[in-house]
Amino acid sequence: MGINLKPIDIVDDISKEEFFEKYLKPRRPVVIKNMAKKWPAYQKWTMEYMKEVVGDVEVPLYDSSKADPSAPINASAAQMKFGDYIDLIQREPTDLRIFLFDPIKYAPKLLEDYISPKELMGGFLDKYPNMFFGGKGSVTFLHFDIDMAHIFHTHFNGRKHVLLFDYKWRERLYQIPYATYALEDYDIENPDFTKFPALDGVEGIECFLEHGDTLFMPTGWWHWMKYLDGSFSISLRAWDKSWAVKAHSLWNLTVQRKFDDIMKSSFKKKYMDWKEKMAVKRAEIALKRGLPR
């Protein structure tokens, strides 16, 4: 009984041809050890440097509490000056995280510190990176990215534990309807298979990121992340060439999100209770049918 986790493939460097055949084409994650070592950020991006360039910016903070049924997706739990937050995560463990932060907006010179790996693939959204900061022990709940982009996720100044699951496992992971995240009532590190039997037998990939490691997450892959140290990451996003994936992204970002926000504001807890019941029902059906095959 359990979730079947395999270690991720790890390479020091990789050619465009090998990357395409082994990882991009089959949509398989990989950790690239040396990619970020070519960036100025590899040496420059310390906690103190980030404080220096964007320390006075007020940032939204997110915690590990269960989502408020009436709140829009990505609603923050608190606000704090970025510099004060950096001091906090260096000083002590905290479950507060910074999510989808765009530092380029406040410090354009940071654009000079990293290089999109266009030698591996195209489609990068060069001017729209996202950064993520977390205190020791903080967790990013299990989800897949709403825009369905490929992601090159590079970590700095510490360690991060990552669990990854192919999109095909979404029902067995108890995906919430009209959302890109899973039921928040189980601990993916130590699930209760009696309460959540559909998790038994789910297959995933596990990795531990260190300073400068780059994780390639293909479109649609579910991910759960835990900060083992106060640290941060940057995600560089690239569009998939498939028009079906682009259409899925557009649907998620427009129709689905708008519908979900309207239903939340109109029916609040009643709507969330229905969604959670449906997540359980769909997971049980998928398990009974032996899905995915």
Side-chain angles (χ1 to χ4, degrees), residues 152-188:
F152 289 81
H153 185 80
T154 302
H155 197 59
F156 294 90
N157 286 272
R159 300 164 299 147
K160 181 184 276 187
H161 182 198
V162 183
L163 301 181
L164 300 158
F165 302 92
D166 193 305
Y167 186 72
K168 68 182 181 181
W169 291 101
R170 61 193 180 279
E171 291 173 337
R172 293 277 296 276
L173 292 170
Y174 295 85
Q175 180 184 358
I176 297 291
Y178 304 109
T180 60
Y181 58 92
L183 192 67
E184 296 176 69
D185 294 335
Y186 65 83
D187 177 4
I188 193 66

Side-chain angles (χ1 to χ4, degrees), residues 28-269:
R28 186 81 178 163
V30 63
V31 168
I32 306 170
K33 299 290 288 185
N34 290 340
M35 192 179 85
K37 290 181 180 179
K38 306 166 189 173
W39 301 355
Y42 184 76
Q43 299 291 342
K44 288 174 64 176
W45 283 13
T46 63
M47 294 289 195
E48 290 305 313
Y49 180 72
M50 299 307 291
K51 274 180 62 177
E52 178 186 326
V53 294
V54 288
D56 291 331
V57 176
E58 194 86 7
V59 293
L61 302 176
Y62 302 83
D63 61 19
S64 58
S65 59
K66 190 172 181 178
D68 180 350
S70 63
I73 191 169
N74 296 340
S76 62
Q79 299 273 334
M80 185 182 290
K81 278 194 174 182
F82 179 79
D84 293 337
Y85 175 76
I86 292 298
D87 289 339
L88 172 66
I89 66 173
Q90 291 187 101
R91 185 174 64 245
E92 61 192 57
T94 175
D95 70 342
L96 293 174
R97 297 175 292 109
I98 297 177
F99 176 69
L100 292 176
F101 179 46
D102 180 9
I104 308 303
K105 178 179 178 181
Y106 308 99
K109 66 179 182 179
L110 292 174
L111 277 170
E112 302 170 4
D113 292 343
Y114 64 88
I115 305 165
S116 296
K118 296 178 182 178
E119 72 278 9
L120 297 182
M121 65 175 294
F124 281 94
L125 304 172
D126 288 331
K127 295 184 179 180
Y128 301 98
N130 293 126
M131 294 194 74
F132 305 83
F133 294 74
K136 181 179 180 179
S138 62
V139 170
T140 303
F141 58 79
L142 184 61
H143 70 287
F144 66 93
D145 283 21
I146 193 169
D147 63 357
M148 303 297 289
H150 297 293
I151 302 167
F152 289 81
H153 185 80
T154 302
H155 197 59
F156 294 90
N157 286 272
R159 300 164 299 147
K160 181 184 276 187
H161 182 198
V162 183
L163 301 181
L164 300 158
F165 302 92
D166 193 305
Y167 186 72
K168 68 182 181 181
W169 291 101
R170 61 193 180 279
E171 291 173 337
R172 293 277 296 276
L173 292 170
Y174 295 85
Q175 180 184 358
I176 297 291
Y178 304 109
T180 60
Y181 58 92
L183 192 67
E184 296 176 69
D185 294 335
Y186 65 83
D187 177 4
I188 193 66
E189 277 191 296
N190 187 30
D192 184 335
F193 295 107
T194 303
K195 290 184 178 180
F196 304 100
L199 294 173
D200 188 18
V202 168
E203 298 173 1
I205 293 175
E206 182 175 36
C207 70
F208 293 86
L209 299 178
E210 299 178 339
H211 177 76
D213 288 350
T214 298
L215 167 63
F216 169 67
M217 289 187 289
T219 173
W221 273 72
W222 288 73
H223 43 284
W224 170 95
M225 298 183 176
K226 183 175 185 177
Y227 291 83
L228 302 181
D229 305 292
S231 48
F232 62 92
S233 306
I234 185 171
S235 282
L236 307 180
R237 316 176 82 79
W239 290 119
D240 190 82
K241 289 185 176 181
S242 165
W243 283 105
V245 173
K246 290 184 175 74
H248 192 171
S249 170
L250 184 62
W251 172 268
N252 288 347
L253 290 164
T254 55
V255 178
Q256 178 175 283
R257 173 176 274 184
K258 186 65 175 177
F259 173 80
D260 195 51
D261 284 345
I262 291 171
M263 294 296 286
K264 279 182 180 179
S265 62
S266 300
F267 299 101
K268 299 181 173 64
K269 187 175 185 301

